[in-house]
Amino acid sequence: MSRRALIFDLDGTLVDTVYAHVFAWQQALAEAGLPIDGWRVHRKIGMSGGLFTRAIAREIGHDLEPNQAHQLQERHGVIYKSLLPHPRTLPDAVLLLRRLRELGVPYGIATSGRRPEINASLQMLEIPEDTIVIERGDVARAKPEPDLFLACQERLGVDVRDCFVVGDAVWDLLAARRAGMLSVGVLSGGYGAEELIRAGAFRVYRDTRELNESLDELGVLP
Amino acid sequence: MSRRALIFDLDGTLVDTVYAHVFAWQQALAEAGLPIDGWRVHRKIGMSGGLFTRAIAREIGHDLEPNQAHQLQERHGVIYKSLLPHPRTLPDAVLLLRRLRELGVPYGIATSGRRPEINASLQMLEIPEDTIVIERGDVARAKPEPDLFLACQERLGVDVRDCFVVGDAVWDLLAARRAGMLSVGVLSGGYGAEELIRAGAFRVYRDTRELNESLDELGVLP
């Protein structure tokens, strides 16, 4: 029997950090003289910082120096941490991951975030030290490229076709398709259900609580 | 010939304030020991403060004392103002309203917000002193009840069937239907397009800029 695995996005999927990220980006960009509408930031969260700043710059009609992009990311990190020093997990996220361990379902986390920024979130999830976490710095290209999910899948040692991605953003679902993986959407990042379905999610749940209650619908359980 | 009018929502439609409101509510509620996920707050923004706090309380499973609801609203207002002392208008919102004045298309603003909290936003719109603005305190019941839009329509002196509501939230569109008015959605509040269409929008634009470029599609111009 083939073993199936779950690959989780972090921000907006396991931890409630999206709105703090949006507001921190808005502030960092406004300070740099690049004000941008909140919803446009929101719909780009989950891309890597680099892709994100370039996309934002194009939208505003400016070119960013590589140095400026880096400074914006740093400033975003500082504001984000001041807004949300203690990120909360989403409902039953801790319970869901514990249950997967008890059931022997392999899982990993693949995020466009970077350490040390993601450390506080990871700590809240109460996961073992040896949990597979692929972060932005581990791969060349971030979502919507499939690299993060493929790196996670390799480390898990599970076939691509047996991996299910769980994410809140269109970028997760597009990256999953490009990786050849099925995907499940959650509304806890603030996208609408249809946006997630159009991007490829075969199911959409409200959040990790509803996902935990619906694991049997996914076909991942042994 | 009948005269047609536009009735605008304020937050997320004319001014870019939704993400600051979400984060301010999350902080105010967390301080009161009522932490709640960002997306759940986001999808309730645009209800009145009173309806909003009751809905949030039910979701969390607490009852709120009337006094506590009032305190939460006050605290939200303080945090909101510290996060966003100078709200930005959404793209071409000022231009759109000026063009409507030049074209002689009557318009008003109907918001679940209250003075003085909305004063900074109204000021940014560069509208004449005598612009019709219906705020939460002017009616008994806020969105999704139709009262705000009906009060605005009465003041405008335009038939209900000739009023077009423009809003970013499902609550605006539901209230418009209950008022017997057509409605147009904008994505600038962070809802997905299908959510707005399902709630009754007969068109959805990205923001006030796209709406301004598309006025001829609405059938409101003389």
Side-chain angles (χ1 to χ4, degrees), chain A residues 16 19 23 26-27 35-40 42-43 83 88 91 188 190-192 194-195 198 206-207, chain B residues 16 19 23 26-27 35-40 42-43 83 88 91 187-188 190 192 194-195 198 206-207:
Chain A
D16 187 29
Y19 291 83
F23 198 71
Q26 276 199 291
Q27 284 216 324
I36 181 155
D37 308 334
W39 74 285
R40 292 177 190 268
H42 185 189
R43 288 306 191 275
L83 288 173
R88 285 173 61 241
S188 45
Y191 277 80
E194 287 89 348
E195 293 178 272
R198 282 200 197 173
R206 294 171 75 81
D207 54 20
Chain B
D16 187 30
Y19 292 82
F23 198 70
Q26 276 198 291
Q27 285 215 324
I36 181 155
D37 308 333
W39 74 285
R40 293 177 190 267
H42 186 190
R43 287 307 190 273
L83 288 174
R88 285 173 62 240
L187 298 178
S188 44
E194 286 88 351
E195 293 177 271
R198 283 199 196 172
R206 295 172 74 79
D207 53 21

Side-chain angles (χ1 to χ4, degrees), chain B residues 16 32 39-40 47 58 105 130 144 150 172 183 204 207 209:
Chain B
D16 187 30
W39 74 285
R40 293 177 190 267
M47 284 180 165
R58 267 192 299 275
V105 176
D130 60 354
L150 291 172
D172 298 311
S183 68
V204 172
D207 53 21
R209 174 166 297 157

Side-chain angles (χ1 to χ4, degrees), chain B residues 8-128:
Chain B
F8 291 93
D9 166 61
L10 181 61
D11 291 290
T13 300
L14 294 172
V15 290
D16 187 30
T17 53
V18 167
Y19 292 82
H21 275 302
V22 171
F23 198 70
W25 275 118
Q26 276 198 291
Q27 285 215 324
L29 287 157
E31 284 176 13
L34 302 166
I36 181 155
D37 308 333
W39 74 285
R40 293 177 190 267
V41 174
H42 186 190
R43 287 307 190 273
K44 287 185 186 64
I45 292 279
M47 284 180 165
S48 73
L51 270 180
F52 173 86
T53 46
R54 280 197 295 280
I56 292 286
R58 267 192 299 275
E59 200 146 323
I60 299 171
H62 284 254
D63 272 337
L64 287 187
E65 309 282 323
N67 190 32
Q68 195 183 10
H70 183 72
Q71 280 171 359
L72 281 172
Q73 285 182 57
E74 293 253 304
R75 184 64 188 140
H76 161 266
V78 170
I79 298 172
Y80 169 75
K81 197 168 177 183
S82 75
L83 288 174
L84 200 69
H86 307 292
R88 285 173 62 240
T89 55
L90 282 155
D92 290 350
V94 171
L95 190 70
L96 169 65
L97 298 185
R98 192 186 310 139
R99 193 168 154 221
L100 293 175
R101 293 195 294 276
E102 289 166 3
L103 290 167
V105 176
Y107 70 87
I109 295 172
T111 171
S112 300
R114 285 173 193 272
R115 296 176 193 269
E117 206 177 80
I118 60 174
N119 286 348
S121 291
L122 291 172
Q123 204 179 346
M124 300 303 290
L125 290 170
E126 304 176 19
I127 47 179

